[in-house]
């Protein structure tokens, strides 16, 4: 049975927007993904960005979407050793709620212990999301350097 996917990813610069857009496209091609919630596509344009109303709607909408997802895909490309704090929070929330997390990290390098250990699968290209079987949830551990 196809799964509902929550896509956690930063989208603050051109490189990040390109990456998350490619992830959204790949997930939409995946027959085992029934729907995809990407916060980038749910910006609550009915409110002024960063206004108190926008903040509440965004937070509540994202939490509800995570709670209603079967699987999270988290893009964790670091800037140095710093991961996007929103993505890190979403990742931790999913793990705490026993939602499997598929990590995508296209940039080479170490992964933080708190993400490298609880992940279900580690992918190195967003294009792999088009063919990953979200029904089977094959485990692909991270085997690189942990910090």
């Amino acid at each position: 049975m196809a799964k509902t996917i929550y896509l956690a990813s930063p989208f603050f610069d051109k490189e990040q927007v390109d990456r998350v857009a490619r992830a959204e496209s790949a997930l939409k091609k995946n027959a085992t993904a029934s729907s995809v919630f990407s916060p980038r596509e749910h910006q609550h344009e009915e409110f002024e960005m960063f206004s108190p109303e926008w903040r509440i709607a965004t937070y509540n909408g994202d939490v509800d979407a995570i709670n209603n997802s079967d699987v999270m895909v988290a893009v964790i490309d670091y800037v140095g050793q710093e991961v996007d704090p929103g993505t890190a929070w979403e990742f931790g929330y999913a793990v705490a709620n026993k939602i499997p997390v598929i990590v995508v990290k296209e940039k080479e390098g170490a992964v933080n212990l708190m993400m490298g250990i609880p992940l279900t699968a580690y992918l190195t290209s967003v294009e792999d999301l088009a063919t990953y079987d979200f029904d089977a949830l094959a485990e692909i551990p991270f085997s690189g350097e942990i910090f």
Side-chain angles (χ1 to χ4, degrees), residues 6-12 20 37-40 42-43 58-59 61-67 69 71-76 83-101 114-115:
Y6 182 95
L7 176 59
S9 177
F11 48 95
F12 299 106
V20 72
F37 181 94
S38 176
R40 185 179 81 94
H42 296 87
Q43 284 297 300
T58 298
Y59 176 81
D62 290 359
V63 169
D64 286 346
I66 295 169
N67 288 337
S69 68
V71 179
M72 175 178 285
V73 169
V75 176
I76 63 165
V83 70
D84 170 60
T87 303
W89 185 90
E90 292 163 325
F91 182 107
Y93 185 82
V95 169
N97 285 285
K98 303 192 181 340
I99 297 168
V101 181
M114 301 308 281
M115 294 180 149

